[in-house]
Amino acid sequence: MTMNSVLRKAALGASLTILMAGFALAQSAPPAPAPAAPAMTQRQMMEACRAEVSRELRGPERRDALRQCVEKKRESAGLDRREDRRAGREARRSEHRAQMQECRREFAEQKLTEKERRDAVEGCLAKKDPHFAKMVECRKQSEEKKLEHGSRAFHKAMRDCMGPRRG
């Protein structure tokens, strides 16, 4: 066994251990009550904070003041704290990575070209994650409109197609 394969297996084992610990913690916590419809949207909160924060502040001080103001408004509205949102994103990412690894293992031994393998893994992931399936569909629609990846028009089309953010 080469050192590279030993390190790869150790990294995979560590990530699976962390994933399982996350699942155990998620199952042991009581479900959070569903938040009521927010009185203000994120954009409205930001606009209100821009009006409240002193115009004399510049650069990092102004950004920090705006961030703190928006966070206070979110907490007073009963919305998730920044740390909770970050933890949720990280949990979704690790779940997505685990699903990706499962799909890659499923097609690893088959004699496929790179494009066929990529399409097969993408289809496998789409079956496991409806949000990913929607994203793939929206990306195809944006590409059909001949929008360039990374452009503002492409990002706007993706946001419009995907609808409200999850989590």
Side-chain angles (χ1 to χ4, degrees):
M1 218 185 288
T2 65
M3 186 63 153
N4 192 16
S5 64
V6 169
L7 289 173
R8 192 176 305 144
K9 288 180 182 179
L12 181 61
S15 64
L16 288 175
T17 303
I18 292 170
L19 178 68
M20 292 303 157
F23 285 146
L25 289 173
Q27 291 176 356
S28 63
M40 299 175 83
T41 64
Q42 185 76 17
R43 179 167 294 197
Q44 291 169 336
M45 287 180 204
M46 190 63 180
E47 289 171 3
C49 286
R50 281 191 185 117
E52 291 175 20
V53 172
S54 172
R55 297 227 180 254
E56 295 175 5
L57 294 175
R58 295 281 182 233
E61 293 85 16
R62 183 166 173 81
R63 281 193 298 276
D64 289 341
L66 286 170
R67 186 178 299 123
Q68 290 171 0
C69 175
V70 170
E71 204 58 38
K72 286 178 188 172
K73 288 191 181 301
R74 286 187 64 81
E75 287 177 15
S76 67
L79 299 174
D80 291 342
R81 293 178 36 236
R82 182 183 199 131
E83 295 82 18
D84 297 338
R85 294 190 308 270
R86 181 174 292 137
R89 277 194 308 271
E90 289 174 3
R92 285 191 302 273
R93 283 181 189 142
S94 65
E95 181 181 341
H96 182 78
R97 276 188 215 109
Q99 290 173 344
M100 175 75 84
Q101 290 299 324
E102 288 175 20
C103 289
R104 283 182 179 162
R105 274 189 233 111
E106 187 176 321
F107 296 104
E109 300 301 319
Q110 297 179 16
K111 302 288 184 190
L112 301 172
T113 65
E114 187 60 32
K115 179 163 177 26
E116 291 171 338
R117 185 181 322 280
R118 199 173 326 131
D119 291 343
V121 169
E122 191 174 270
C124 174
L125 269 173
K127 290 176 189 171
K128 293 181 180 200
D129 185 0
H131 182 77
F132 181 80
K134 176 127 174 107
M135 185 209 52
V136 169
E137 184 61 35
C138 291
R139 185 177 48 195
K140 285 180 183 174
Q141 290 175 8
S142 296
E143 289 170 350
E144 287 172 2
K145 294 177 186 175
K146 305 277 191 244
L147 299 175
E148 183 180 336
H149 282 269
S151 68
R152 285 188 181 198
F154 181 83
H155 289 289
K156 183 178 182 329
M158 288 293 290
R159 277 193 306 272
D160 293 344
C161 178
M162 291 296 291
R165 291 183 181 179
R166 70 174 183 176

